[in-house]
Amino acid sequence: MNDPAETTLPPVIVKPLKIGDLVIDPPILQAPMAGYTNYAFRQIVRDYGGVGLQATEMVSARSFVWLDQQAEFPDRLWGIEDEPRPLAVQMWDNEPDTMARVGERLVEEFQVSVVDINFGCPVKQVTQSAHSGSYLLRWPEKMFSIIRRVVEACAPTPVTAKIRLGCSRDKINANEIAQVVEEAGAAALTVHGRTAADFFKGSADWEKISEIKPYLKKIPLIGNGDLDSAAKVVEAFRSYQVDGVMIARACLGRPWLFAQAAAALRGEPVPADPTLAEQRMCLLRHYDLVVQRFGIEKGTMLMRKFACCYAQGMYGARAFRTRAAKVSSPAEFYEIVENLFPRDPEVDAADSASAELASGS
C-alpha cells in the first residue's frame, strides 16, 4: 500500500494523447487482456477513474465471423453496446480480408472508438497454431497488408497496432516494424518492452521502446510493460520518449492504479490504496457483475482468477488464494472473502478491543 509520506511525486508535463481525431486525456490506457478485461472489470476501473482509454479482451476475427454465422454474440464483446466511450476493441488474425470485415462491423454496428490490431501476443495458440500475434513480426509485408485493409475498412475510425520488440532478443526489429505500421496508415503504435520469446520474464526494456520514437514521423508512441505504480508511470513520461502509457497486469488486482497514476501526472497527491475492507467490497462488487452476466456457476468459476489477483502480494494472502482458486459456489465465495481475505492488523486489533470492552461492560 502507499506510504502516506510519499504521496506527492515531482510533476511532469504531459500532453493529452491524440489517436487520429480522438483525444485521450489522461494519456493512460488500459491494456486488452484475454480472459480479464471484460465489461465487469472495465466497470470497476471506470468507478475509480483515471483511465483515458479502455479496451476489451482481444477478439479472434475468425471466431467473430463464425459466431456471427451462428447468430451468436461474442462473450468478449459483452457490454460494449451501452458502455461509455471512448472504448477500443483489439482483434487478431492473419487474414487481411477477415480482419477488415470484422473491423468494419465493430465500427458500423458497435461504434467503437478505436480498432486495435494485436501483433504482440506470444502464446502458442495464437503464434504457432494461428500464425498470428507476435508471429507476424517476422513478416512486415504481411503486417502492412493487414493494417492497410483494416484502416480502409474502418475509416474514419482510427486503427492502431500493438507489437513487441521482436520475436526474440537476437531478432529485435521494432524500429523497422514501427515504420511499416505508420506507412500502412495506423494512427498509433503501442510497444511492449519485451520480445515474444521473453513472454513476461525479466524486465521490460523501456530504453528500446524509447529508441523507436525517432522512426515515427506523425503517429504517437505508447509504451507498455512493468508499470505497476504511479511513480513508474511518471518516470516513463519523464525519462523515455513516449506519448502515452498502457497499464496491463498490474491493474488486475488494483483497478485504482489508473486514478493514482492520473493524479501523479497532474502533480496532485497520489490517493492511497483503498483500505483492505474497501478492497474486499470492490471484489464482491466485481463478483456480482460477473455473476449477473454469466450466471452463478460460470460466474463463480471465472472469479477464481480475479479473486487471486486482488490478494496477490498481500501479507497472509496464501490461504485466501489457495481456497479462492477452487471456489465453486456463492456461499463458499462469500465465506472465503469474509474470513480469509487479508485484513488490516490495526483494524482487527481495534475491533477486538471494542469487542472486549463490550463484553465486559
Side-chain angles (χ1 to χ4, degrees), residues 158-212:
V159 173
T160 59
K162 186 180 181 187
I163 68 171
R164 288 195 169 217
L165 296 175
C167 291
S168 60
R169 285 286 161 178
D170 60 344
K171 295 180 181 178
I172 290 178
N173 62 343
N175 294 345
E176 174 193 357
I177 295 297
Q179 296 174 83
V180 169
V181 168
E182 184 169 57
E183 290 170 4
L189 173 67
T190 301
V191 182
H192 180 91
R194 292 180 175 85
T195 68
D198 291 333
F199 278 80
F200 295 101
K201 300 188 298 290
S203 300
D205 191 336
W206 280 80
E207 291 289 351
K208 288 292 185 186
I209 295 176
S210 190
E211 289 173 7
I212 298 168

Side-chain angles (χ1 to χ4, degrees), residues 48-69:
Y48 285 103
V51 62
L53 177 65
Q54 293 189 275
T56 67
E57 302 174 71
M58 67 177 189
V59 176
S60 163
R62 205 167 307 182
S63 295
F64 183 103
V65 171
W66 184 86
L67 286 170
D68 188 49
Q69 293 171 343

Side-chain angles (χ1 to χ4, degrees), residues 308 317-327:
C308 291
R318 179 177 295 181
F320 172 79
R321 297 180 70 204
T322 299
R323 289 283 305 280
K326 301 176 182 178
V327 67

Side-chain angles (χ1 to χ4, degrees), residues 276 280 342-358:
L276 290 175
R280 190 182 305 114
R343 294 178 177 273
D344 187 328
E346 294 182 2
V347 173
D348 277 357
D351 289 345
S352 297
S354 297
E356 290 178 6
L357 286 174

